[in-house]
Amino acid sequence: MLEDIKNDIAEFHRKHGACRLENEAAENEFIADAETVLDRCELCAETFEERHELAKFCNFLGSWLMVFTYRLKEGRKYYQKALALHPDSFDIHWEYYTTLEEIVEDEKQCAPEFIQDAIDCLRFCIDYCDTPELIRENHIEYRWLELGKIYLAANEPAKACRCAKMSMKLKKSAKAKQLLAKANKELGFFGRISALFGKI
C-alpha cells in the first residue's frame, strides 16, 4: 500500500508540478485531484509509514493553497489533516507555523483560529525539545521569541512578557529585550506585577 500511495502522490506532482495556480479553474482542479488521492489512500493508510507519507502530502497541499492562492481556510483544512495523520511530528508543526508566520502578522488576513494554530504549533515545538541537544539544535530561544510576538499580536502582553524572559534565559538578544519592553509597556505597573505569577 505504501508504494501505491507514493505512486498516486508522484502522479499528482507530475500533473501539477509546474502549475502556479494562476486562476480559479487551476486551483479547483488542484484541489479536486488532491481529494481524489486522499479519498483513494486515506482509509487504507494503516502503518506509520503510510500515514506519514499522506501527512507530508497534506502539508504540501496546505502550504500551496495558503501561500499561492490565499485560500486560507482550505489550506488550513489540509494542515489539520496532516496533524491528525501524524500528530507527533515536529516537522509538520514547524512547517505549518512557518506558513502561518506572515499571516498572523497581517491584520487583514488574520483570524483568531490562525493565531491559535500558530500558538499551538510553537508550543508543540517548544515542548517537543525536552533535551539540551534538541533545545540547541532547534534554537528554542527563537521559538519563545516568536511565541511572545504572537501573544502580543493576540493582545496577551503578560504571556508575551513571560515568553521574552524564557527566550532571554536561553540566550540574551536585543530582539528579546525589545519584545519585553513592548510587553511591559502594554502591561503597565500592576500588569507587570501580575505577570510574574501567571502561566504561559
Side-chain angles (χ1 to χ4, degrees), residues 12 16 26-39 78:
F12 176 91
H16 294 282
E27 292 170 15
N28 290 338
E29 185 179 10
F30 179 92
I31 292 169
D33 288 349
E35 287 296 320
T36 299
V37 172
L38 291 172
D39 287 345
Y78 288 113

Side-chain angles (χ1 to χ4, degrees), residues 55-80:
K56 288 193 301 180
F57 180 57
C58 288
N59 226 33
F60 163 80
L61 298 172
S63 174
W64 268 64
L65 287 171
M66 293 181 88
V67 172
F68 291 110
T69 73
Y70 299 103
R71 290 170 79 150
L72 302 182
K73 290 186 178 178
E74 287 161 293
R76 180 177 186 255
K77 180 187 81 171
Y78 288 113
Y79 272 118
Q80 288 180 319

